[in-house]
């Protein structure tokens, strides 16, 4: 045996042996196993993130690598909003939206189209004629239908779910007095769902809004969506925007809301999830994009980093939320974060410009934060308990 071994190392084999040795000495050290967020949650729901056009265009590769690795679903942060897709009536620009959808397809992701009908980021010209006069109900309905048919039709079978109507309900449960409402009347919401369903009968259709755990608002959404469903028009899910704070919303109310929406027979998604770590300058907490306040030093308390005490509070708050989401994972289909890392969050500039916020799972250096690992551990723990 020993002879055989020695024989096999005869000079004839030397080049091969050297090559093998060389290969192993140059091969990289085995990679340290890093947990992958979407894999940890694959048994429960999609984990998504909003992406921007810089990332999609390849101008921010490190960030895009995080998206590809950790997220199974994407939402277009801006490029599918009306003002980007149809900046002037009849002039569509699909450059960024096409790239967004292609990227999602290449990576086998669940692709969300956001948002078809919203009062914000829509050109004023949509509501006016060339003389600047407000258009009629018929004209606006026609414009809405044309936009939806063109956009949804273009991505038919490729975009899996659409935020059809965004933020149409007030805090007290009444309908927001937007231009859509003023000109078309309250059935504009149903019309938007009808048109989207006609344009792609297989796409999932969602109503998306903030503060959806607040009971009065929740009840308003339930009234509105029940009416649409009773009229035979499909709505497949409620997107509860997750713009949360350390002390708002009340998570018992959040849980009650998930149950109440699921009782309508629709799915629930947490969309636009981020945890605002900075003081909110007014009693009325929400995510109204129109809100704006002056910068004051005491409202930007952590310009150089988040203290450990706050880091711990962040972990606790996210864990409390995910405990609920995991309990309802038969009803919750997707949880989407609003941005990839702290440096990119809209919460650095809203409702006050130029603050330093820490709402997401990755820090400004693109490193996973303690909350990232805590969420991985939580999912692993739940899976272990099932087995
Ligand atoms: C709302 C919208 C989002 C985004 C955020 C702010 O929640 O639905 O598209 O504009 O505001 O980033």
């Amino acid at each position: 045996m020993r002879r055989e071994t020695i024989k096999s190392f005869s000079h004839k084999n030397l080049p091969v042996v050297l090559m093998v040795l060389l290969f192993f000495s140059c091969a990289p050290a085995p990679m340290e196993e890093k947990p992958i967020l979407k894999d940890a949650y694959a048994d429960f729901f999609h984990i998504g993130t909003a992406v921007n056009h810089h990332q999609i265009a390849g101008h921010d590769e490190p960030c895009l690598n995080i998206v590809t690795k950790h997220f199974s679903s994407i939402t277009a942060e801006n490029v599918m909003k009306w003002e980007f897709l149809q900046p002037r009536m009849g002039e569509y620009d699909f450059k960024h939206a096409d790239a967004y959808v292609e990227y999602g397809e290449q990576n086998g992701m669940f692709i969300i189209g956001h948002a078809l009908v919203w009062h914000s980021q829509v050109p004023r010209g949509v509501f006016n004629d060339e003389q600047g006069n407000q258009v009629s109900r018929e004209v606006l309905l026609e414009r809405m239908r044309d936009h939806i048919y063109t956009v949804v039709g273009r991505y038919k079978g490729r975009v899996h779910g659409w935020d059809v109507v965004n933020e149409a309900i007030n805090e007290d449960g009444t309908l927001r007095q937007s231009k859509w409402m003023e000109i078309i009347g309250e059935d504009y919401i149903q019309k938007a769902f009808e048109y989207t369903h006609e344009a792609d009968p297989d796409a999932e259709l969602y109503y998306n809004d903030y503060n959806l755990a607040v009971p009065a608002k929740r009840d308003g959404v339930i009234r509105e969506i029940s009416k649409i469903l009773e009229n035979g028009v499909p709505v497949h899910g409620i997107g509860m925007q997750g713009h949360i704070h350390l002390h708002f919303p009340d998570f018992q109310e959040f849980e009650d809301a998930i149950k109440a929406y699921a009782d309508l027979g629709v799915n629930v998604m947490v969309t636009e999830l981020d945890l605002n770590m900075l003081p909110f300058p007014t009693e009325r907490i929400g995510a109204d994009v129109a809100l704006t306040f002056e910068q004051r030093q005491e409202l930007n308390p952590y310009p150089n980093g988040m203290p450990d005490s706050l880091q711990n509070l962040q972990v606790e708050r996210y864990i409390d939320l995910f405990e609920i989401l995991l309990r309802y994972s038969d009803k919750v289909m997707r949880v989407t974060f609003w941005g990839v890392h702290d440096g990119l969050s809209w919460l650095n500039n809203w409702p006050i410009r130029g603050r330093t916020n820490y709402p997401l799972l990755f820090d400004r250096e693109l490193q996973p934060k303690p909350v990232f690992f805590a969420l991985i551990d939580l999912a692993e723990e739940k899976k272990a308990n099932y087995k």
Side-chain angles (χ1 to χ4, degrees):
M1 186 64 189
R2 189 169 151 71
R3 279 187 129 212
E4 276 300 304
T5 315
I6 290 171
K7 199 169 144 223
S8 67
F9 274 95
S10 77
H11 69 280
K12 269 201 275 164
N13 292 330
L14 200 57
V16 177
V17 171
L18 282 178
M19 268 173 64
V20 169
L21 284 176
L22 198 66
F23 174 80
F24 280 109
S25 64
C26 294
M31 288 260 287
E32 195 194 322
E33 286 276 309
K34 288 242 177 71
I36 295 180
L37 191 62
K38 66 179 177 193
D39 292 352
Y41 281 87
D43 289 358
F44 305 111
F45 34 70
H46 278 297
I47 295 281
T49 183
V51 291
N52 64 35
H53 69 276
H54 289 288
Q55 293 153 359
I56 294 300
H59 300 320
D60 190 354
E61 216 171 295
C63 197
L64 195 63
N65 290 340
I66 294 186
V67 179
T68 312
K69 177 167 177 185
H70 288 288
F71 296 93
S72 61
S73 173
I74 46 171
T75 299
E77 186 170 1
N78 280 306
V79 300
M80 284 191 156
K81 290 174 180 169
W82 192 308
E83 69 178 7
F84 286 88
L85 287 178
Q86 196 186 177
R88 277 165 300 282
M89 286 312 302
E91 286 178 33
Y92 286 91
D93 179 356
F94 292 111
K95 185 166 145 244
H96 296 302
D98 283 356
Y100 162 79
V101 174
E102 275 157 30
Y103 165 77
E105 285 182 325
Q106 278 157 12
N107 290 286
M109 291 166 157
F110 193 81
I111 304 171
I112 305 300
H114 168 85
L116 294 168
V117 174
W118 188 27
H119 64 274
S120 184
Q121 294 190 262
V122 53
R124 292 171 71 113
V126 172
F127 307 106
N128 295 334
D129 63 19
E130 276 166 8
Q131 286 71 48
N133 301 318
Q134 198 156 291
V135 296
S136 65
R137 166 183 161 90
E138 287 64 38
V139 169
L140 189 55
L141 273 175
E142 185 48 38
R143 289 181 176 185
M144 182 206 267
R145 192 166 66 109
D146 174 76
H147 184 83
I148 291 177
Y149 272 33
T150 308
V151 172
V152 176
R154 183 177 184 92
Y155 301 113
K156 186 167 186 247
R158 301 175 65 200
V159 166
H160 303 103
W162 285 98
D163 288 336
V164 177
V165 176
N166 199 29
E167 304 180 349
I169 311 243
N170 291 319
E171 300 309 283
D172 64 0
T174 57
L175 291 186
R176 184 193 283 269
Q177 272 306 323
S178 64
K179 281 285 167 201
W180 297 108
M181 170 78 169
E182 187 188 325
I183 299 173
I184 298 176
E186 41 179 86
D187 63 339
Y188 86 89
I189 302 178
Q190 177 170 320
K191 288 286 180 204
F193 278 94
E194 265 176 48
Y195 297 154
T196 312
H197 183 58
E198 285 163 13
D200 186 353
D202 294 327
E204 290 188 7
L205 314 186
Y206 316 127
Y207 176 73
N208 192 55
D209 208 333
Y210 60 84
N211 283 1
L212 288 197
V214 172
K217 191 160 184 173
R218 175 197 71 200
D219 293 346
V221 171
I222 289 176
R223 274 195 303 277
E224 190 53 37
I225 300 303
S226 313
K227 207 165 63 192
I228 296 176
L229 290 169
E230 277 159 23
N231 290 340
V233 176
V235 177
H236 304 105
I238 303 293
M240 300 177 71
Q241 290 183 15
H243 299 301
I244 61 170
H245 301 249
L246 284 175
H247 305 291
F248 177 87
D250 175 338
F251 279 166
Q252 183 56 55
E253 290 183 352
F254 202 93
E255 180 171 347
D256 294 345
I258 294 178
K259 284 195 270 189
Y261 295 133
D263 284 347
L264 287 171
V266 302
N267 290 326
V268 179
M269 271 99 23
V270 176
T271 62
E272 309 189 21
L273 180 57
D274 45 29
L275 172 51
N276 194 339
M277 302 306 293
L278 300 182
F280 205 71
T282 158
E283 290 280 296
R284 282 185 57 234
I285 294 187
D288 188 339
V289 281
L291 216 56
T292 162
F293 296 89
E294 285 289 304
Q295 165 76 286
R296 294 201 310 270
Q297 214 178 345
E298 66 272 23
L299 295 175
N300 188 27
Y302 321 112
N304 304 315
M306 186 159 66
D308 285 352
S309 55
L310 209 67
Q311 196 87 256
N312 295 340
L313 288 177
Q314 172 160 77
V315 170
E316 279 173 29
R317 185 73 171 153
Y318 264 120
I319 291 290
D320 288 348
L321 177 64
F322 271 73
E323 290 266 13
I324 298 172
L325 301 178
L326 286 165
R327 242 193 342 270
Y328 290 89
S329 62
D330 57 330
K331 303 177 168 50
V332 175
M333 295 298 125
R334 171 169 56 91
V335 177
T336 290
F337 289 86
W338 204 240
V340 179
H341 68 81
D342 287 344
L344 289 179
S345 169
W346 73 300
L347 291 174
N348 294 305
N349 291 305
W350 180 91
I352 296 174
R353 293 201 70 78
R355 295 200 293 177
T356 309
N357 213 328
Y358 305 88
L360 297 165
L361 305 189
F362 292 85
D363 66 20
R364 285 170 168 74
E365 279 73 51
L366 309 193
Q367 295 307 308
K369 291 159 59 178
V371 59
F372 170 91
F373 294 105
L375 289 179
I376 297 273
D377 288 349
L378 180 70
E380 298 303 343
E381 204 180 289
K382 292 287 166 208
K383 281 192 274 191
N385 290 344
Y386 285 152
K387 283 174 192 155

